[in-house]
Amino acid sequence: MKRKDIDYSLYLVTARHLLPPNKAFLESLEEAIVGGVTIVQLREKDVDSREFLEQAELCKTVCEKHGVSLIINDRVDVAVAIGADGVHLGQTDMKVAQARMMLPEGSIIGVSCNTVEHVRAAVLDDVDYIGIGSIWGTQTKKLTNPVIGVRGVGPMLEALDGTNIKAIAIGGVKSTNLLRTLYGAVSATNHKLDGIAVVSDIIASKEPLNAAKALKTILSGFQSRGITSMPTRSLTPEILLDGVSHLMEEIRKKVPLVHQITNTVVQTQSANVTLAIGASPIMATEPTEMEDLARFCGSVLINIGTMRADVVESMILAGRAANKFHKPIVLDPVGVGATSFRKNSVKVLLDEWQVGVIKGNAGELAALAGTSEVKSRGVDSVGLGFSDPVAFVRNLARRERCTVVLTGSTDYISDGVCVVGLKNGNEVLGKITGAGCILGSCIASFCAISAQLSESSEAGHLVQGDMFIAAITGVLVLTVAADIAMEKPEVCGPGTFLPGLIDVLWSLTPAQLRGAAKISVL
Ligand code: TPS
């Protein structure tokens, strides 16, 4: 087989000790291959050479029967002895150049990589593929290196740009997190994975055929949707406002439920604003009801404003369930730069699930992106903000693979390709508590209706709906309503502003919004 013909999409790494009781190794292996495994790595730890060779011969027979490649872990001598297709080398195994000298011409060489430096070395060694791991925590291998996280894969893939080296993600990958893994493990340059490798999800299964099939279905659904390619849009304010008007009309007709785990300071006003724009709020934090809620709610808002350690679990479960049912997640990382608890919690959440929209002020988004360009005080940002906010939101959206809303005197919104600037909104919004939080509720409500209207319910589509238009709608509705509310004779300050705002939200029409919207495509 020529090197380039190898299909790395579903890569099985073996582990005989993980087989369920009464399951024979070769039987399991064959079922897994029939279920869709495209390449096999025999991984034997703590066995003597004779036993390793025997197992390798047996595996080779099964693999050859089904036309899949067999790779040997670590032991180059075993690979040579049985005529395997190649070897997989860890960072502490034999060096690539040495292995290449021992192996026949055309053999596959793969290397485990945990850092960008490892990837660079693998590129210099001109290996055939790299195994990027561990993506998630795993029980299968004692990890000596840190868990990378789905969001850590992008820079490693980027280091492969311009090469022909294939990339596989490994470590805790399961059918339950595969879509999240595929969706998130993409570089800002749109370099994607060529496959995923699993041990326990297949080997420890009593039904390896079905386990492999489940993974295969998600893999092919994902590929056929081509969801990882950035959408190319040529948008004008008019086209965007058509989309906004449509969502404003539909939300009142369909009244989507919006699950909100939010700030306890502003729960009531968030719920009232949600009702006023035509959606229906559910403010619930009990971990055991998260999955049921995701089933029938249109979206979930996660706001960390008054987050406690005991709510993190609910947030994880809520987002995981939302991803499972293809419902958008809106993350409001309130004051994320203020404490390490918030910073760590947001990292956990973003690694765990694929978010649809992230909304924050300059200080919050700077903290999230890890730049020191913007300073914050408590939950507010101070100073001038970003020198190039357009590039900043676009890059963050690409990196997190979601829509990003940067709030400020101009609000910037990007889906990673297009950036719009919105200039509505009133300074009185800054004088009531939780203005940002109610904006999160507005965005989540329009994400819910957008998802509900989107017809695509294929397995490959992790985030349904048009998050970009939904976020623009959420921001415009609130900020235009704020402008109109301030014109009302009965509104004379922050106290009367909030009820006035809720009244305007309640009666705001698409035509009114169109007339007042200050939107530009940047
Ligand atoms: C292609 N490796 C990293 S995590 C892990 C292993 C064996 C355990 C995953 O188990 N890349 C390739 N082959 C390898 N052997 C490694 C990396 C090293 P589970 O799927 O049960 O979490």
Side-chain angles (χ1 to χ4, degrees), residues 413-469:
I413 306 181
S414 179
D415 60 356
V417 179
C418 190
V419 183
V420 299
L422 305 174
K423 280 190 184 290
N424 293 91
N426 198 287
E427 61 189 19
V428 182
L429 267 175
K431 300 287 177 238
I432 57 165
T433 187
C437 305
I438 58 179
L439 177 58
S441 298
C442 287
I443 294 172
S445 300
F446 288 106
C447 288
I449 189 62
S450 179
Q452 205 169 319
L453 294 172
S454 122
E455 284 168 0
S456 44
S457 52
E458 295 102 316
H461 212 167
L462 183 58
V463 181
Q464 274 188 8
D466 189 330
M467 297 298 100
F468 187 53
I469 300 284

Side-chain angles (χ1 to χ4, degrees), residues 305-316:
T306 52
M307 184 186 212
R308 296 170 46 96
D310 56 357
V311 186
V312 177
E313 173 70 4
S314 293
M315 290 179 169
I316 289 175

Side-chain angles (χ1 to χ4, degrees), residues 11 13 18 41 43 73 88 90 111-113 129-141 143 168-174 197-201:
Y11 186 136
V13 181
L18 291 181
Q41 177 190 132
R43 184 168 181 266
N73 182 284
H88 182 85
V111 190
S112 299
C113 292
Y129 77 87
I130 59 168
I132 299 177
S134 182
I135 307 299
W136 305 86
T138 175
Q139 303 292 312
T140 305
K141 181 179 154 81
L143 295 179
I168 297 145
I170 186 168
V173 178
K174 306 198 177 309
V198 303
V199 184
S200 53
D201 201 47

Side-chain angles (χ1 to χ4, degrees), residues 368-415:
L368 199 89
T371 118
S372 53
E373 203 184 321
V374 180
K375 302 275 172 286
S376 334
R377 190 184 61 227
V379 298
D380 299 319
S381 59
V382 290
L384 288 174
F386 297 102
S387 56
D388 187 350
V390 173
F392 173 80
V393 284
R394 186 186 283 127
N395 288 338
L396 186 60
R398 277 184 189 218
R399 211 184 77 183
E400 299 297 340
R401 307 192 55 67
C402 67
T403 287
V404 169
V405 178
L406 165 62
T407 59
S409 56
T410 300
D411 301 308
Y412 296 92
I413 306 181
S414 179
D415 60 356

Side-chain angles (χ1 to χ4, degrees), residues 179 183 225 227 322-323 326-329 354-357 401-402 451 454 456 460-467:
L179 199 50
Y183 193 96
R225 294 284 315 202
I227 200 167
N323 272 181
H326 312 288
K327 307 291 176 72
I329 303 168
Q354 177 59 49
V355 73
V357 179
R401 307 192 55 67
C402 67
S454 122
S456 44
H461 212 167
L462 183 58
V463 181
Q464 274 188 8
D466 189 330
M467 297 298 100

